[in-house]
Amino acid sequence: MGRQVEEQIAQRFPVGQRLRVLDVGMGQGTQALRLARAGHQVTGLEQDPGMLDVARDALSREPAGIQDRVRLLEGDGRETGAHFTPGSFDVVLCHGVLMYLPEPDGMLAGLARMLAPGGLLSLLVRNGDALAMRPGLAGDWSGALTAFDTVAYTNRLGLDVRADRLADLTSTLSGIGAPLHSWYGVRVFTDGTEAVEALPPEGELERLLAAEERAGRTDPYRGVAALLHLIGVRG
């Protein structure tokens, strides 16, 4: 996913331009730090104090120049208007957040308002069109049959959450002035392996990532990915 974000930035902005990035629900700060290392000015917004502490600890181990490019704030992504003025950012990330919201449209509209013209909105969501894949591949036929007719599911933490369908988000992005520009599948082949204790050997890992990256941009494979990565562009 990080490579996909970098690809979209490279396509939309001049080489070397230092961008203003907002990472909403940044978790442990993986993407925020990645973009700060690339030279961008990053603001991370996270409402979970524990995750914010993890991100702060990770940031403290970075060189001073990178630390200076990152600002970490505790806050709710649904209240970006209370923290920032409209048009303040060139890139807004919202990865792995929408599944926890019963109704995401209001927050998405707020995120779109944070973007400067031509800015990128990057969303990572659970794929509501492929919810039957995980139980089906695990041999849970009852669960697979149920998943065809719902966007609700229980995640690995035991929380009741929701998925998003590509067509619905496409319509929403158009309505908030950040129409869908590109989309990818994430975890086409590796859904369910995120909890493994050890990574594969280096050569095998590179082949795995290459296969995932290829599938994530290729039909029909990307349509059955566990996650969808959508890029909207502010008009």
Side-chain angles (χ1 to χ4, degrees):
M1 184 178 62
R3 295 179 185 181
Q4 295 164 357
V5 171
E6 290 169 355
E7 175 182 80
Q8 291 296 321
I9 287 175
Q11 290 178 0
R12 298 292 303 183
F13 300 100
V15 175
Q17 181 175 342
R18 304 310 187 194
L19 303 176
R20 302 162 298 165
V21 180
L22 173 63
D23 189 352
V24 173
M26 66 172 182
Q28 61 189 8
T30 301
Q31 296 301 323
L33 290 178
R34 182 180 182 127
L35 290 167
R37 294 183 193 119
H40 304 301
Q41 195 74 33
V42 182
T43 299
L45 187 65
E46 174 57 56
Q47 68 173 352
D48 184 326
M51 292 305 297
L52 194 57
D53 286 342
V54 172
R56 285 173 174 150
D57 181 63
L59 179 61
S60 72
R61 296 193 294 272
E62 295 289 330
I66 293 175
Q67 292 185 37
D68 292 342
R69 289 197 288 271
V70 179
R71 179 172 58 143
L72 303 181
L73 301 175
E74 184 174 347
D76 192 320
R78 290 168 292 190
E79 300 172 352
T80 50
H83 298 282
F84 317 107
T85 57
S88 296
F89 298 96
D90 305 299
V91 179
V92 173
L93 311 180
C94 183
H95 296 164
V97 175
L98 296 192
M99 59 272 290
Y100 296 103
L101 303 180
E103 174 48 63
D105 288 7
M107 189 175 90
L108 287 174
L111 298 184
R113 285 193 291 271
M114 295 301 104
L115 286 169
L120 299 181
L121 176 60
S122 173
L123 305 175
L124 183 72
V125 303
R126 184 67 191 271
N127 184 3
D129 294 316
L131 280 183
M133 290 296 293
R134 181 181 290 182
L137 291 174
D140 176 6
W141 309 120
S142 295
L145 288 168
T146 299
F148 282 111
D149 301 314
T150 183
V151 292
Y153 69 102
T154 302
N155 68 11
R156 295 185 182 278
L157 300 176
L159 300 176
D160 293 329
V161 288
R162 48 171 293 282
D164 286 283
R165 299 188 186 278
L166 178 61
D168 293 338
L169 278 180
T170 299
S171 177
T172 298
L173 289 172
S174 179
I176 63 175
L180 182 66
H181 172 70
S182 302
W183 68 278
Y184 307 86
V186 176
R187 292 186 190 161
V188 178
F189 303 125
T190 57
D191 183 36
T193 65
E194 59 269 25
V196 296
E197 294 182 0
L199 293 173
E202 184 175 348
E204 182 180 351
L205 178 60
E206 284 303 312
R207 289 189 291 272
L208 180 157
L209 292 174
E212 279 285 354
E213 190 168 6
R214 176 88 176 262
R217 63 180 71 244
T218 304
D219 291 324
Y221 305 102
R222 63 178 180 165
V224 296
L227 304 169
L228 298 178
H229 181 198
L230 292 80
I231 303 293
V233 176
R234 181 70 172 173

